[in-house]
Amino acid sequence: MKDTQAKFSKITVSLHWLVAILFIGLMAIGLYMTEFKDYALFPIHKSFGFILLLIALLRVIWRYMNGWPKPAGKYTSVEHLLAKVMHWTLIIGMLLMPISGMIMTLSEGRGLYVFGLELVASFPDPENARRMLVQNEFLAGVGESIHGIGANVMIFAIGLHLVGALKHHIIDKDGTLRRMLGQSI
Ligand code: HEM
Ligand code: HEM
């Protein structure tokens, strides 16, 4: 059931690709909805973002229980360091993006709704129910900055991560990518 150097467990592989697909999808929706002010997409973005946080937490617990897998190929010490920095950036990003999104939304008094299910109630203005009463302007700003800057950092990190995975597969011809696809190396 645990990861070995030769083969990753089904749980590791499934969690990696589930988070990867959801995360990239959420980045695309986030950028699209803010650029084109498509407010209908906001609740979908927030709901999937919350679900992603739960899966990302499972992934971190699983990685902690499992330990870090040994590299599939022969890495130089620089590559090893780069991979470590990259994996930590991705892990912190996959937690910080949904957390900052929630901080922003909750501080703006918008509540937290997951596919319509109320987890935290919103704070509508009694004089105009369509407007929300901001609960904490400072935290709302902090959340928004982290979410915006984090998005750019993550685009860069995922791009490098993808290039790294392809380099291992095409140039080094080692089992790094095949192992994350569930194959034995
Ligand atoms: C991994 C999960 C998430 C990812 C990858 C993600 C990604 C993004 C991206 C790329 C943007 C556009 C940023 C910009 O152009 O400034 C965005 C905007 C936004 N996201 Fe997320 N998001 C996630 C989770 C969440 C969650 C859980 C919430 C709230 C509960 C949320 C609320 C928002 C809001 C309200 C905006 C609009 C921000 C604005 O108007 O400036 N996001 N998100
Ligand atoms: C763009 C498509 C992606 C590809 C082709 C890909 C490929 C891979 C491969 C081959 C590994 C194994 C590296 C090793 O054994 O050292 C890996 C590990 C990892 N990937 Fe990705 N990945 C992608 C997207 C993502 C995304 C979007 C995230 C998170 C936001 C992510 C997070 C991670 C993390 C944290 C690891 C470290 C190992 C672990 O904790 O299981 N990946 N990825």
Side-chain angles (χ1 to χ4, degrees), residues 27-177:
M27 295 277 285
I29 294 179
L31 292 172
Y32 178 88
M33 71 187 197
T34 30
E35 180 69 23
F36 296 102
K37 306 217 176 333
D38 191 341
Y39 296 112
L41 285 175
F42 275 59
I44 297 170
H45 178 81
K46 295 178 189 181
S47 301
F48 276 111
F50 180 78
I51 303 284
L52 183 133
L53 176 62
L54 301 184
I55 304 172
L57 284 173
L58 269 182
R59 192 171 178 330
V60 170
I61 294 169
W62 175 246
R63 175 56 62 229
Y64 182 75
M65 283 164 54
N66 228 298
W68 283 90
K70 292 211 167 60
K74 285 198 174 59
Y75 287 15
T76 63
S77 53
V78 174
E79 267 185 307
H80 197 70
L81 178 71
L82 213 68
K84 239 195 162 111
V85 171
M86 198 45 77
H87 290 165
W88 275 107
T89 307
L90 292 169
I91 291 172
I92 293 169
M94 78 192 181
L95 295 174
L96 216 53
M97 283 305 287
I99 291 174
S100 58
M102 282 163 57
I103 290 176
M104 163 174 43
T105 302
L106 290 172
S107 310
E108 283 170 355
R110 297 184 187 281
L112 187 58
Y113 298 82
V114 177
F115 300 112
L117 178 75
E118 180 185 287
L119 299 187
V120 181
S122 57
F123 286 88
D125 185 341
E127 283 164 21
N128 177 1
R130 296 188 59 163
R131 277 187 46 168
M132 299 300 151
L133 292 176
V134 175
Q135 299 299 299
N136 189 321
E137 206 153 330
F138 172 71
L139 273 184
V142 170
E144 191 171 347
S145 298
I146 296 178
H147 213 65
I149 297 168
N152 289 312
V153 171
M154 287 305 277
I155 290 173
F156 183 68
I158 294 169
L160 271 185
H161 184 60
L162 177 63
V163 169
L166 292 178
K167 176 201 174 266
H168 280 289
H169 194 65
I170 297 167
I171 299 176
D172 302 338
K173 296 191 174 30
D174 63 28
T176 305
L177 179 60

